[in-house]
Amino acid sequence: MVLVTRLLFGAALAGAFLSLYVARLELCDPPHRLGVTMVGGFFWIAGELLLPGLAVLCRDWRVLQGAVTMILALLAACWWCPALLVESPRWLLATQQLERAKKTLQALAEGDDPGANNSSCHQESLLEELESLSEGSPQPRFHAVCEIFSTRVIWKNGVILGFAAFIGSGIRHCFTRNLAPHLPRFFSSYFTLVSTEAAACLFICLTAERFGRRAVLLLCTVLTGISSLLLLALTQYLLDLIVLTLSVVGVTASHAVTILSIFFASEVLPTVVRGAGLGLVVGASFVGKAAAPITAIPNSRGFFLHHVVFASFAILAVLSIMLLPESQGRGLPQSLQDGESQRRPPFFHRPPRDDHLPLLAPHGVPHDYSHLAASTKRMLVSPAPPL
């Protein structure tokens, strides 16, 4: 019974994390997607830093469980307040839920426009566009995750990024094993690992928007593979300081590979299957974490085999990442056709940017919604009429 309860609790936490992650992403325009997502990541890291202190204050695991449950209950209460937790209008339009999309877009327009009371004409034009789309009562069209397997480009991108997330999570234990002699206490090792995760987020913030997702992911994978190979072949010949440095670099780079792979997947997967596809990628990263017990077996050759296998996988991932498209500054794909139309640009050629797009770009939604996007842009961007 306890195992079933913990399984359900973990599934609920994973679902909440994934839903919030996708909602944040789909509400942002291209220049702000990375920054908003990384801010969410820093809040996650802040929670990891505060968790040991909360555990010390609670002292008993039952009290700690109750405190965590109360915090989650406050988050669940946001469901009753649409102003705090809105549904993604991008997903609503992509799945043809026009009535809900109309209410959500109207709420966003009223909240974002300081002169909403004086620009009723813009709101009326938006409502007229939505009403015209609603004629005929189109039925919502949902897509199952199995449809990804019938595609070619979307399936390829998902497999590559899931493979990279799997490697980033799995190979991390090879580096933390070398850190153990230098960090014998639990709190020192715990805070060191969380600090490397924060450093990885900061590195992605500073580089991924400037040099592109694919180039930074390739660089982090190369650093992970080189650090792993050097430690695998030369640990007994290197100074302790060099081993410690390579281990810290490897842990930080592996964190960056996992974080950026998940974010990259959220940008290249189409809206209609983004939640399900991203769940598979996140699941692959947790499968990599499940290999950690192999490294904890004393006097076993399982750790050496684990290290060899993941170092080989890292080299293979370097070759696979070159097949990915570049999503920097581009609109999110909406339909499966948009996801299939993504192409791999030359590696050192930066694709044209689509900065400062509205929430719904004309070429990023089905063609039936192009006039709705134009009206939304006029409403949200144009200044209020003079009094």
Side-chain angles (χ1 to χ4, degrees):
M1 184 64 184
V2 175
L3 292 178
V4 174
T5 305
R6 289 181 63 85
L7 179 63
L8 294 177
F9 185 72
L13 284 178
F17 167 79
L18 188 62
S19 300
L20 291 173
Y21 192 99
V22 173
R24 287 197 306 266
L25 181 89
E26 292 183 350
L27 288 173
C28 296
D29 55 347
H32 301 101
R33 282 200 303 257
L34 179 66
V36 170
T37 304
M38 290 300 107
V39 167
F42 281 121
F43 274 100
W44 178 274
I45 295 170
E48 291 182 330
L49 290 173
L50 293 175
L51 183 59
L54 182 62
V56 171
L57 290 176
C58 294
R59 294 184 178 275
D60 187 78
W61 70 269
R62 295 178 182 85
V63 180
L64 178 62
Q65 186 71 37
V68 173
T69 304
M70 289 187 63
I71 296 173
L72 294 176
L74 292 176
L75 178 62
C78 296
W79 185 82
W80 299 97
C81 184
L84 295 178
L85 192 62
V86 298
E87 183 58 86
S88 167
R90 192 186 302 273
W91 177 74
L92 292 174
L93 284 175
T95 54
Q96 300 184 14
Q97 302 181 66
L98 301 181
E99 289 298 327
R100 294 181 62 189
K102 177 174 65 175
K103 296 178 182 179
T104 303
L105 285 173
Q106 186 176 10
L108 287 175
E110 292 175 352
D112 291 341
D113 190 359
N117 297 328
N118 300 323
S119 58
S120 58
C121 58
H122 296 286
Q123 296 185 23
E124 291 177 358
S125 63
L126 174 62
L127 292 177
E128 290 176 0
E129 295 282 355
L130 288 167
E131 290 292 345
S132 63
L133 287 175
S134 301
E135 294 179 357
S137 300
Q139 295 297 321
R141 183 182 178 185
F142 301 100
H143 296 262
V145 67
C146 298
E147 296 185 34
I148 297 178
F149 304 134
S150 62
T151 61
R152 185 176 61 88
V153 177
I154 299 173
W155 166 248
K156 177 200 69 177
N157 296 338
V159 168
I160 293 174
L161 292 169
F163 183 57
F166 167 76
I167 293 169
S169 298
I171 203 172
R172 192 174 307 143
H173 309 292
C174 304
F175 302 116
T176 56
R177 185 184 177 95
N178 293 318
L179 291 175
H182 304 277
L183 303 170
R185 296 185 178 182
F186 168 77
F187 286 106
S188 59
S189 60
Y190 179 84
F191 286 118
T192 300
L193 292 178
V194 176
S195 299
T196 57
E197 187 175 358
C201 285
L202 182 60
F203 177 77
I204 292 174
C205 288
L206 297 177
T207 58
E209 195 62 40
R210 179 179 179 83
F211 302 104
R213 284 58 159 147
R214 187 172 57 153
V216 176
L217 181 59
L218 182 63
L219 173 63
C220 294
T221 309
V222 169
L223 289 176
T224 302
I226 291 177
S227 301
S228 179
L229 291 175
L230 290 176
L231 291 174
L232 183 64
L234 303 174
T235 299
Q236 56 184 341
Y237 305 108
L238 297 176
L239 297 175
D240 290 343
L241 180 60
I242 298 178
V243 173
L244 180 61
T245 302
L246 288 175
S247 300
V248 172
V249 171
V251 170
T252 306
S254 63
H255 273 301
V257 169
T258 303
I259 295 170
L260 190 53
S261 297
I262 295 173
F263 175 72
F264 202 171
S266 66
E267 286 193 320
V268 299
L269 291 172
T271 300
V272 291
V273 291
R274 179 169 294 119
L278 191 60
L280 294 177
V281 175
V282 175
S285 70
F286 281 104
V287 171
K289 289 183 179 180
I294 299 177
T295 65
I297 301 175
N299 300 324
S300 174
R301 296 185 180 181
F303 168 72
F304 180 78
L305 179 60
H306 176 275
H307 203 160
V308 171
V309 170
F310 275 93
S312 304
F313 283 170
I315 302 302
L316 180 60
V318 170
L319 302 177
S320 302
I321 290 171
M322 297 182 182
L323 303 176
L324 293 172
E326 180 56 68
S327 61
Q328 177 192 6
R330 307 300 301 270
L332 296 175
Q334 305 300 323
S335 62
L336 294 177
Q337 292 76 15
D338 294 336
E340 286 291 283
S341 65
Q342 298 177 107
R343 294 292 179 264
R344 176 180 62 87
F347 192 76
F348 294 102
H349 172 71
R350 300 185 68 179
R353 299 174 62 90
D354 297 333
D355 287 348
H356 305 293
L357 290 175
L359 178 63
L360 302 172
H363 66 278
V365 295
H367 295 293
D368 294 338
Y369 303 139
S370 59
H371 53 298
L372 170 63
S375 177
T376 305
K377 179 179 180 180
R378 290 196 303 270
M379 179 179 178
L380 298 178
V381 177
S382 60
L387 296 174

